[in-house]
Amino acid sequence: MTSPMDSVLQGSRILPVLTVPDPATAHLLAEALASGGARCAEVTFRTVGAEQVLETMAAHDALTVGAGTVLTREQVDRAVAAGARFVVSPGYAEEVVARCRELEVPVVPGVATATELMRALRAGCHTVKLFPAEPLGGLRTLRALAAPFPQAGFIPTGGIQDSHLASYLADPAVVAVGGSWMATATLLERGDYAEIRRLTAEAVDRSTP
């Protein structure tokens, strides 16, 4: 089944998840990700300057940028106003999903249980975020959830490293893999954009058939 997220991902199966402490670095980060072949990115609403980061990165022609860690209706409005093309939440929040529907913005709610997945599917969200993927049990949990719900596509996120990438991508229920290993807090702190570009290129290459 097709999902609004299909057009966002544009065939990409890698979703860099970014927590950017300094908005002044957003342009350099966007350049590094795009140069590495990333097509989309998720900017988390965990920092004071998240909206400014979103606005800067959304202006980059090669990237489709969304907002992550969106918890409330008000945050949806702020994210979309800043240029977010999609919204990701760590859990299932009816007000977030409803507001995204009103604004016609693709939304990826987080799920950790079959009950949450059923609520997401009933709301028309066929692409969901399995979060936190690794602490929940990784692929074993994902496959257990996917078996009775073949209509669901998953973006596992949380605790995933590059060493996990191949096994996740090999699963037919996985739409894309989200992770912060391409732009860790340490890399951002020291401004190592060459390494961010290298890690992104490596992930994109490994995700391409």
Side-chain angles (χ1 to χ4, degrees):
M1 178 176 292
T2 59
S3 160
M5 279 300 292
D6 293 340
S7 60
V8 168
L9 293 168
Q10 303 177 64
S12 175
R13 303 189 71 199
I14 298 296
L15 180 60
V17 178
L18 314 167
T19 301
V20 186
D22 183 2
T25 67
H27 177 70
L28 292 173
L29 176 57
E31 286 290 339
L33 292 171
S35 296
R39 297 180 185 176
C40 52
E42 173 189 331
V43 175
T44 66
F45 254 53
R46 298 182 187 179
T47 63
V48 174
E51 287 163 89
Q52 189 177 342
V53 174
L54 258 171
E55 188 173 353
T56 298
M57 295 190 69
H60 198 290
D61 292 339
L63 288 176
T64 299
V65 183
T69 321
V70 175
L71 309 177
T72 66
R73 179 185 180 93
E74 183 259 346
Q75 285 183 327
V76 173
D77 289 341
R78 287 165 50 199
V80 172
R85 296 276 302 281
F86 62 96
V87 167
V88 182
S89 183
Y92 183 84
E94 290 181 1
E95 65 174 297
V96 170
V97 171
R99 184 56 175 159
C100 287
R101 288 279 185 265
E102 290 171 5
L103 297 177
E104 299 184 344
V105 175
V107 58
V108 182
V111 303
T113 67
T115 300
E116 291 169 336
L117 179 53
M118 289 172 68
R119 291 175 66 193
L121 291 171
R122 281 199 300 270
C125 301
H126 293 277
T127 300
V128 296
K129 170 181 177 173
L130 179 65
F131 180 81
E134 281 295 296
L136 281 173
L139 268 171
R140 289 181 62 189
T141 298
L142 189 149
R143 288 168 177 161
L145 286 172
F149 303 105
Q151 69 271 48
F154 294 84
I155 301 178
T157 309
I160 296 176
Q161 301 298 322
D162 58 348
S163 58
H164 304 132
L165 189 57
S167 56
Y168 274 107
L169 291 175
D171 193 285
V174 172
V175 175
V177 174
S180 59
W181 79 87
M182 292 160 277
T184 64
T186 299
L187 291 173
L188 290 170
E189 184 178 346
R190 67 176 186 237
D192 194 344
Y193 300 106
E195 181 65 1
I196 291 172
R197 181 170 56 251
R198 185 190 72 79
L199 290 171
T200 302
E202 184 179 82
V204 170
D205 183 64
R206 290 172 64 189
S207 71
T208 303

